[in-house]
Amino acid sequence: MSHNETEALLARWVRPEIRRLSAYHVADAEGLVKLDAMENPYHWPESLREEWLRLLGEAEINRYPHPQAPAVKEALRHAMGIPAQLPLVLGNGSDELIQMIAMTVGGAERTILSVEPSFVMYRMIATFLGMRYHGVPLKADFSLDLSALLAAVEQEQPAVIFLAYPNNPTGNLFAEEALLQVIEAAPGLVVIDEAYAPFTDVSFLPRLGQYDNLLVMRTVSKMGLAGLRLGLLAGPAPWLDEIEKTRLPYNINVLTQISAAFALRHQQVFDRQTREIRVEREALLAQLMRLDGVEALPSQANFILLRLTAGGATTVFERLRERGVLVKNLHGAHPLLAECLRVTVGTPEENAAFLAAFSASLDAR
Ligand SMILES: *Cc1c(COP(=O)(O)O)cnc(C)c1O
């Protein structure tokens, strides 16, 4: 078959909105200090690793995994303080949960609404499923533009609203009072995405049950288990029963089930690590705030958003990489992110390496 024939086939059959997409880009971090993806930089203590490997050695990988993963749910409830009467739906990362929610309420005339800039998967998944997407711009200080948001909710009648709390890539928390107004005004679901819960003290989990359209989504990725791919959705049973129907039967594999249940039994290890990351975040922020030509934003997550007031984010991003440090370049992702970089908080050594490389890159600009 010739190249042209293949092209003709694709043009005929691949959905136009998929043809227009570019695949989610993950930068090559080989040999670099990796501060681009909000990963926890710490390993487990040696004794834990040995115990974990022993458990994995007994895994029955010839069998399908338990379809409900009850041990994982139990461990998540315990670790995150989720009441026993609230049901959970598990996803292969919270990315998959976003997809399951969208499949549950989807359709060509249905709208997913969020704010911008925020987590890009809300828009991408709307596109995958042929749904409409509406993004309401945040204010210049990245707070919610509540009147614009409420007007958009009224106008667009979204099937689901996703709000990241704290927000990615800005790191701030939206005002709780404003979010409650959105939940009350929404004609459909509101999902509070608490991916960064380990790095803040606030949560909408205690509000579950007060509203019949409120769901809270969490993940184990940012606390230190990104490799497992495990997210959870909590909320009123009637909604979760419907969303559960869209879950592929064995989406949480055997190795993930064993590893997550084991890791969460040692929650205090992760609590120590995330506390350490919070302390490091404040230290890094203080040092970044002292630099000229850079605006460093306070953060309730495990990353810091930087705006290079004097311009040249892309130049500095490249210089950083030449000096062996990978961060995320957000310039071009959204008008409000012009000249912005996002750096994940790493170990004290990684942060020091980043700071040194960053100062040098700024000076060389
Ligand atoms: C990282 C992130 C996620 C994705 O989490 P996974 O569980 O790893 O899929 C979801 N929401 C936000 C806001 C994130 O930043």
Side-chain angles (χ1 to χ4, degrees), residues 93-95 119 122 164 168 193 195-196 219 221-222 229-230:
S94 38
D95 288 349
F119 190 46
Y122 309 143
N168 171 14
D193 179 351
Y196 298 96
T219 174
S221 295
K222 311 292 159 60
R229 309 306 301 131
L230 178 67

Side-chain angles (χ1 to χ4, degrees), residues 216-256:
V216 171
M217 190 166 66
R218 293 269 184 106
T219 174
V220 301
S221 295
K222 311 292 159 60
M223 70 176 246
L225 297 169
L228 291 186
R229 309 306 301 131
L230 178 67
L232 68 136
L233 194 63
W239 271 114
L240 291 206
D241 290 347
E242 298 297 333
I243 294 165
E244 174 76 8
K245 295 177 191 170
T246 69
R247 190 175 64 82
L248 296 175
Y250 304 113
N251 65 332
I252 312 299
N253 72 69
V254 170
L255 302 180
T256 293

Side-chain angles (χ1 to χ4, degrees), residues 32-284:
L32 300 176
V33 177
K34 190 171 186 309
L35 300 176
D36 67 327
M38 282 78 85
E39 291 147 332
N40 173 339
Y42 297 109
H43 288 294
W44 303 359
E46 193 53 39
S47 59
L48 274 195
R49 289 169 79 87
E50 279 166 18
E51 206 180 326
W52 170 56
L53 288 176
R54 196 176 45 72
L55 285 174
L56 288 182
E58 294 164 6
E60 290 197 79
I61 51 165
N62 54 319
R63 304 285 178 200
Y64 282 106
H66 192 302
Q68 312 300 344
V72 177
K73 285 183 179 167
E74 185 49 42
L76 285 168
R77 276 183 201 293
H78 187 72
M80 297 184 182
I82 301 168
Q85 70 275 14
L86 279 178
L88 300 179
V89 174
L90 302 185
N92 189 309
S94 38
D95 288 349
E96 192 189 38
L97 290 168
I98 299 167
Q99 188 179 51
M100 284 159 60
I101 295 163
M103 286 193 290
T104 302
V105 297
E109 297 307 314
R110 299 290 179 87
T111 300
I112 290 180
L113 188 142
S114 189
V115 293
E116 292 192 338
S118 188
F119 190 46
V120 294
M121 290 312 288
Y122 309 143
R123 175 199 285 273
M124 287 187 71
I125 286 171
T127 305
F128 298 163
L129 296 179
M131 296 177 73
R132 289 152 41 91
Y133 173 83
H134 188 86
V136 180
L138 295 172
K139 291 187 178 169
D141 65 356
F142 299 129
S143 64
L144 277 189
D145 186 342
L146 184 60
S147 56
L149 185 51
L150 291 175
V153 168
E154 173 68 24
Q155 176 71 30
E156 302 290 329
Q157 295 289 302
V160 53
I161 302 172
F162 286 101
L163 293 162
Y165 183 78
N167 191 36
N168 171 14
T170 58
N172 60 316
L173 288 164
F174 301 131
E176 185 185 16
E177 190 49 43
L179 292 177
L180 292 175
Q181 284 194 50
V182 174
I183 294 165
E184 280 169 19
L189 273 180
V190 177
V191 180
I192 303 292
D193 179 351
E194 297 190 341
Y196 298 96
F199 308 102
T200 187
D201 296 323
V202 295
S203 170
F204 272 70
L205 273 182
R207 304 241 178 221
L208 286 179
Q210 289 175 23
Y211 301 91
D212 60 8
N213 63 338
L214 172 65
L215 305 180
V216 171
M217 190 166 66
R218 293 269 184 106
T219 174
V220 301
S221 295
K222 311 292 159 60
M223 70 176 246
L225 297 169
L228 291 186
R229 309 306 301 131
L230 178 67
L232 68 136
L233 194 63
W239 271 114
L240 291 206
D241 290 347
E242 298 297 333
I243 294 165
E244 174 76 8
K245 295 177 191 170
T246 69
R247 190 175 64 82
L248 296 175
Y250 304 113
N251 65 332
I252 312 299
N253 72 69
V254 170
L255 302 180
T256 293
Q257 290 194 25
I258 292 172
S259 304
F262 171 76
L264 292 167
R265 279 203 297 280
H266 299 277
Q267 176 67 21
Q268 72 286 356
V269 172
F270 298 96
D271 289 345
R272 257 199 312 276
Q273 294 176 348
T274 52
R275 265 200 307 275
E276 171 81 21
I277 292 166
R278 285 169 73 152
V279 171
E280 274 299 309
R281 172 184 73 198
E282 299 312 314
L284 180 59

Side-chain angles (χ1 to χ4, degrees), residues 308-339:
L308 306 196
T309 48
T314 299
T315 308
V316 169
F317 169 80
E318 296 295 349
R319 295 236 165 90
L320 275 171
R321 196 163 52 184
E322 284 158 19
R323 289 180 164 88
V325 180
L326 182 66
V327 299
K328 179 81 174 177
N329 182 7
L330 293 165
H331 184 74
H334 188 274
L336 288 173
L337 296 173
E339 305 302 347

